[in-house]
Amino acid sequence: DAGVIQSPRHEVTEMGQEVTLRCKPISGHNSLFWYRQTMMRGLELLIYFNNNVPIDDSGMPEDRFSAKMPNASFSTLKIQPSEPRDSAVYFCASLTWVAGGKPSEQYFGPGTRLTVT
Amino acid sequence: TQLLEQSPQFLSIQEGENLTVYCNSSSVFSSLQWYRQEPGEGPVLLVTVVTGGEVKKLKRLTFQFGDARKDSSLHITAAQPGDTGLYLCAGTNSNDYKLSFGAGTTVTVRA
């Protein structure tokens, strides 16, 4: 299995530009999570989807951030307009449900390092 | 404010020494997980503990969940350079599967 795939791995953009981060979860996984990691705030959950439906977006910082999951194999996190304080590593993770209705572990992608100048 | 406080923030030791990382909270969690993250990669799950007082061993790593399910520790015996990384604890509640992460402990094991 290829694991969770994220693209791009690195993104450098200027303040005010639109940024789109992409994630392909592990095939068969039906829950997907977007996290942001910074030195100051650590690893924070931004939003998660269950069966392509957003369940909890309370971690999304502000209206400049939006996330979509048009199908089971693809999700995007968009920042428009981007600001220097958005600089961070953004991770996508996915999980499936095992026997007994319990979640499996979360499998993380390699992350996208975003730098906004 | 993080729900889970990890200490120490940084730890640098010589190969062969032992180390302990702590994860504390004022909240009760239904389960607690430990992850290790290497530079340029995402966190990888090491263990999940679910029962108060539970102790799990993974080779040279020993994980303990506090009796009240508010704290946990990770102990590494005879550390090796390959143990170098960022160790993260994360808690979850029975109502959902959202993870709340601690800030992490950066461990460096010198050869």
Side-chain angles (χ1 to χ4, degrees):
Chain A
D1 199 320
V4 176
I5 299 172
Q6 291 187 246
S7 64
R9 292 295 311 274
H10 302 272
E11 177 80 40
V12 180
T13 191
E14 293 184 346
M15 183 174 63
Q17 296 298 306
E18 177 179 297
V19 174
T20 299
L21 311 181
R22 297 172 175 80
C23 175
K24 176 178 169 55
I26 292 174
S27 178
H29 283 196
N30 47 19
S31 294
L32 182 142
F33 304 79
W34 281 102
Y35 292 88
R36 177 173 68 176
Q37 187 175 38
T38 62
M39 289 291 292
M40 291 296 296
R41 302 175 67 88
L43 198 59
E44 305 173 282
L45 177 65
L46 300 178
I47 184 171
Y48 77 91
F49 296 83
N50 196 28
N51 293 322
N52 313 337
V53 177
I55 302 299
D56 186 341
D57 65 354
S58 59
M60 296 286 263
E62 47 195 277
D63 291 344
R64 298 184 297 106
F65 286 69
S66 63
K68 293 182 179 179
M69 192 164 185
N71 57 62
S73 59
F74 184 66
S75 178
T76 60
L77 178 68
K78 185 177 294 185
I79 308 173
Q80 165 64 13
S82 59
E83 297 183 3
R85 61 191 167 124
D86 301 330
S87 297
V89 181
Y90 291 81
F91 289 100
C92 176
S94 69
L95 63 76
T96 186
W97 294 88
V98 298
K102 294 184 178 180
S104 70
E105 67 176 274
Q106 289 191 27
Y107 293 85
F108 284 78
T112 295
R113 180 174 294 278
L114 173 65
T115 303
V116 183
T117 60
Chain B
T1 303
Q2 309 228 235
L3 283 178
L4 288 164
E5 299 290 336
Q6 285 189 241
S7 61
Q9 187 176 0
F10 299 97
L11 195 54
S12 180
I13 61 170
Q14 201 70 30
E15 180 177 5
E17 296 181 340
N18 302 332
L19 69 95
T20 302
V21 176
Y22 299 94
C23 177
N24 296 294
S25 176
S26 57
S27 302
V28 176
F29 291 99
S30 60
S31 70
L32 198 137
Q33 300 179 343
W34 284 93
Y35 291 79
R36 186 172 79 198
Q37 184 179 14
E38 299 189 17
E41 299 180 8
V44 176
L45 180 67
L46 295 174
V47 78
T48 300
V49 285
V50 297
T51 305
E54 181 178 3
V55 177
K56 278 192 175 179
K57 292 191 174 183
L58 189 67
K59 297 183 180 179
R60 294 177 293 99
L61 279 61
T62 301
F63 305 85
Q64 187 164 6
F65 201 13
D67 291 341
R69 305 207 315 275
K70 293 182 179 181
D71 56 89
S72 181
S73 64
L74 157 60
H75 182 79
I76 301 179
T77 304
Q80 299 176 359
D83 296 324
T84 293
L86 176 67
Y87 288 82
L88 296 158
C89 66
T92 187
N93 292 308
S94 57
N95 295 331
D96 56 45
Y97 39 90
K98 290 169 55 175
L99 291 173
S100 297
F101 281 87
T105 295
T106 300
V107 172
T108 303
V109 183
R110 305 184 304 274

